[in-house]
Amino acid sequence: MDIAALIPQFGGLIYMIVAFVLALSVIVAVHEYGHYIVGRWSGIHAEVFSLGFGPVLWSRDDKHGTRWQIALLPFGGYVKFLGDANAASGKDEGTMADLEQDPAALRRTMHGAPLWARAATVAAGPVFNFALSILVFASIFMARGVATDPLTIGELKTLPNTVQELQIGDEIQAINGKTLPKFDDADGWTDYVDSLEAQKQLEFTVNRDGQTQTVTGPWLFPPLVQQVAPRSAAMDIELASGDLITAVDGQDIFAFEQLKEAVEGSDGRVLLLSVWRDGEMLEFALAPRRTDEPQPEGGFVTHWRVGIVGGMMLVPATEAGGVGMALTDGVVQTGKIIQGSLSGLWHMVTGAISTCNISGPIGIAETSGAMASQGAQSFIWFIAVLSTAIGMLNLFPIPALDGGHLVFYAYEAVTGKPPSDTVLRFLMAIGITMILSLMVFSLGNDLFC
């Protein structure tokens, strides 16, 4: 066995695990802190705040009497409130019986607090997950800025064997004689690009240093790899951001749409790609995969895909956007993730798309490593996406999850009394069984899909 050959693979595995643990730890810490801080504000005492499970590696007690700890197994966490028997907030019968005669102490327990305090404390975990996502998305949108109007070139991508007379700072007024719409008009911009005839070279009318000029430049959307999707065919063969695909099966291409048509028409057949990378020509064999894609109007469509995200041959110059706009876009982005996830689950239940779309811990770990390898911004974006998914999952009305507790509280609000302890224990057992079954199922997907 060649031990040296295994070192890069081992290093990649460590990198993937570290990225996964880091992403999960941030999300879990925010989720559990939501429970903790709202519980404290509501008068409920937290005995333990644990990041991870199992043997304790580090701990300290704060002035409020809460023990903060980091445990060996970093795959979750919990807050144990006074009166809880376990991390799932089951009732500690002995402690509750001891506190029966002390109303003030009973009020500080999770099970003796008013209904509003318990509901707020439980709901705070998912709410904090959504808040994290919104703030991360908003921060990234602010960092990216807003494209200037008129569209101004901030950066030009490197494209070999093309005539490039455009310059940084040029304000683009028209392409092939057609006046540009506002760049932030998504529908208008899409219709405009669709109206252009695909050509290797275009005529750009630009304002350069106060003068109008007509210059030649490449097609707006070349077959340039801007991003590689995690766990995709493109990532498996190590295509990278900045790669330019110049030919498919020996046929020269200049537009991303040509690459897309070749992939969609492949029926899964292996494609031979000629790729320009940093001045060197490389050859790759790439097999497209069937992928279920969400549609803007709802539903899913199955296409052959390789996992490449394209982009324009230029990067627009930007200006700082407002905080309000960034936060609004953050809320919208979070809502889109929730809507897409729920739509995906529904279509899996009805059999419209494959259940292989559910990823387990291995799949999430692979995605964590892949996104981390593409840069800090991609990794932070992934954390926000995963935070939204975990917040949404915790709101499902399954006993042992936050959503299940909220259903119990809703029952109590309507009937005036909580479900009996016997019923709660039975439902909790069912809930834990459902969660474990889902984990086993998703792990099976990771291994066999």
Side-chain angles (χ1 to χ4, degrees):
M1 178 181 291
D2 186 357
I3 300 297
L6 294 177
I7 292 176
Q9 299 178 37
F10 182 72
L13 177 63
I14 295 297
Y15 185 83
M16 179 185 73
I17 293 173
V18 169
F20 174 56
V21 170
L22 179 58
L24 191 61
S25 296
V26 169
I27 294 167
V28 168
V30 169
H31 179 96
E32 298 303 335
Y33 187 78
H35 290 315
Y36 162 77
I37 194 63
V38 173
R40 202 181 87 187
W41 290 340
S42 303
I44 302 173
H45 174 60
E47 293 185 313
V48 179
F49 184 110
S50 181
L51 191 59
F53 297 97
V56 176
L57 302 177
W58 171 89
S59 69
R60 75 171 184 86
D61 294 337
D62 67 12
K63 63 181 181 180
H64 301 288
T66 300
R67 185 170 74 252
W68 298 74
Q69 65 184 38
I70 297 175
L72 179 62
L73 304 176
F75 303 114
Y78 62 92
V79 176
K80 181 180 179 296
F81 292 103
L82 182 63
D84 286 347
N86 48 48
S89 288
K91 185 185 292 186
D92 184 338
E93 301 288 353
T95 299
M96 295 303 294
D98 292 341
L99 298 176
E100 283 277 321
Q101 307 305 317
D102 187 347
L106 191 63
R107 169 61 180 82
R108 299 179 71 230
T109 68
M110 185 63 169
H111 305 278
L115 179 59
W116 68 265
R118 285 178 277 146
T121 299
V122 167
V127 169
F128 269 54
N129 279 136
F130 297 143
L132 171 64
S133 300
I134 292 168
L135 290 175
V136 167
F137 290 139
S139 298
I140 291 175
F141 291 144
M142 287 192 68
R144 289 177 179 174
V146 179
T148 57
D149 186 32
L151 177 61
T152 304
I153 299 176
E155 178 186 339
L156 288 167
K157 303 292 181 66
T158 301
L159 302 175
N161 303 320
T162 59
V163 178
Q164 179 59 280
E165 297 176 350
L166 291 166
Q167 296 181 9
I168 294 174
D170 285 349
E171 295 179 358
I172 302 177
Q173 299 175 338
I175 301 176
N176 284 358
K178 296 182 178 182
T179 303
L180 261 69
K182 288 184 176 296
F183 191 66
D184 60 359
D185 179 4
D187 292 335
W189 179 255
T190 300
D191 292 341
Y192 178 82
V193 172
D194 290 343
S195 71
L196 293 174
E197 181 183 351
Q199 299 173 330
K200 190 171 184 178
Q201 302 294 153
L202 300 171
E203 296 297 321
F204 292 81
T205 303
V206 302
N207 181 355
R208 180 181 295 171
D209 299 327
Q211 296 184 346
T212 300
Q213 301 183 30
T214 299
V215 297
T216 301
W219 175 245
L220 277 174
F221 296 94
L224 184 68
V225 179
Q226 181 168 293
Q227 188 175 12
V228 179
R231 307 183 72 203
S232 65
M235 178 153 285
D236 286 349
I237 65 169
E238 298 183 349
L239 285 177
S241 176
D243 286 351
L244 178 69
I245 299 169
T246 61
V248 178
D249 289 339
Q251 184 70 38
D252 290 344
I253 61 173
F254 64 86
F256 192 86
E257 190 64 27
Q258 294 172 311
L259 172 65
K260 182 179 177 183
E261 289 173 358
V263 170
E264 290 182 346
S266 69
D267 199 28
R269 175 179 55 84
V270 174
L271 302 175
L272 300 179
L273 306 184
S274 299
V275 177
W276 180 90
R277 176 185 294 173
D278 297 331
E280 183 182 2
M281 289 302 302
L282 306 173
E283 299 293 328
F284 292 91
L286 182 61
R289 298 173 184 170
R290 285 191 176 276
T291 305
D292 299 312
E293 294 184 341
Q295 301 301 297
E297 66 276 6
F300 285 75
V301 174
T302 301
H303 288 296
W304 291 103
R305 291 287 185 258
V306 295
I308 294 172
V309 179
M312 287 202 298
M313 54 80 178
L314 61 86
V315 177
T318 60
E319 55 190 7
V323 175
M325 179 184 295
L327 286 172
T328 300
D329 290 343
V331 171
V332 170
Q333 182 64 38
T334 302
K336 286 180 179 178
I337 294 170
I338 295 173
Q339 181 184 18
S341 299
L342 292 176
S343 176
L345 287 172
W346 172 250
H347 282 80
M348 279 184 271
V349 169
T350 58
I353 62 175
S354 171
T355 55
C356 284
N357 286 281
I358 296 179
S359 293
I362 295 176
I364 296 173
E366 289 178 344
T367 305
S368 300
M371 297 304 286
S373 69
Q374 296 187 42
Q377 188 175 111
S378 294
F379 182 57
I380 293 170
W381 182 277
F382 169 72
I383 289 176
V385 172
L386 189 58
S387 181
T388 300
I390 289 178
M392 181 192 71
L393 179 64
N394 269 278
L395 286 177
F396 283 7
I398 298 174
L401 293 181
D402 295 332
H405 287 288
L406 291 174
V407 170
F408 298 151
Y409 297 152
Y411 174 86
E412 183 178 347
V414 171
T415 64
K417 60 180 181 180
S420 69
D421 292 341
T422 302
V423 170
L424 282 176
R425 283 194 292 270
F426 175 72
L427 292 176
M428 283 292 185
I430 291 177
I432 291 172
T433 301
M434 292 174 65
I435 294 169
L436 291 175
S437 299
L438 178 60
M439 291 178 63
V440 171
F441 178 78
S442 62
L443 183 60
N445 279 355
D446 291 340
L447 297 174
F448 304 114
C449 277

